[in-house]
């Protein structure tokens, strides 16, 4: 049964404390309904963050790499604000 099995869901809940949300199968009662919109939203957020952080261009493959790249981007943003000041309301500066 793969990810749809009751044993697998029980394992995740008992040992890891997580609740697996997946599309309902045809042969089971409605549990979560259609989750396609939620999945699209999550994928869009992840894709946007990957683009803003340039994680694929810099070879980020591990959680520590993501933290390092996020820190680099935040420091660069802070340095830009320190040197030029915060954007003024109504300006077209990003």
């Amino acid at each position: 049964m793969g990810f749809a099995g009751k044993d697998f869901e029980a394992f995740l809940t008992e040992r890891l404390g997580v609740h697996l949300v997946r599309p309902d199968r045809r042969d089971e009662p409605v549990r979560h309904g259609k989750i396609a919109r939620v999945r699209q939203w999550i994928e869009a957020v992840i894709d946007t963050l990957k683009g803003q952080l340039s994680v694929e261009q810099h070879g980020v493959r591990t959680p520590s790499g993501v933290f390092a790249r996020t820190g680099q981007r935040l420091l660069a943003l802070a340095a830009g604000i320190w040197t030029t000041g915060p954007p003024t309301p109504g300006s077209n500066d990003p």
Side-chain angles (χ1 to χ4, degrees):
M1 287 242 200
F3 294 125
K6 291 180 182 178
D7 294 335
F8 182 69
E9 288 189 37
F11 171 80
L12 290 177
T13 303
E14 292 170 8
R15 293 193 177 72
L16 303 176
V18 298
H19 180 71
L20 181 66
V21 177
R22 61 171 175 73
D24 299 329
R25 292 177 31 187
R26 290 185 190 138
D27 63 341
E28 67 184 3
V30 175
R31 298 168 8 142
H32 304 293
K34 297 184 180 189
I35 61 170
R37 288 182 186 232
V38 174
R39 180 179 176 174
Q40 288 175 344
W41 177 75
I42 291 169
E43 288 178 356
V45 168
I46 291 172
D47 189 51
T48 300
L49 290 174
K50 283 174 30 178
Q52 289 178 353
L53 295 174
S54 306
V55 292
E56 291 189 356
Q57 297 163 342
H58 294 277
V60 175
R61 304 271 187 265
T62 63
S64 61
V66 172
F67 295 137
R69 185 64 183 153
T70 303
Q72 289 173 347
R73 297 293 288 176
L74 290 173
L75 287 173
L77 177 63
I81 291 173
W82 288 332
T83 57
T84 61
T88 57
S91 70
N92 291 333
D93 294 335

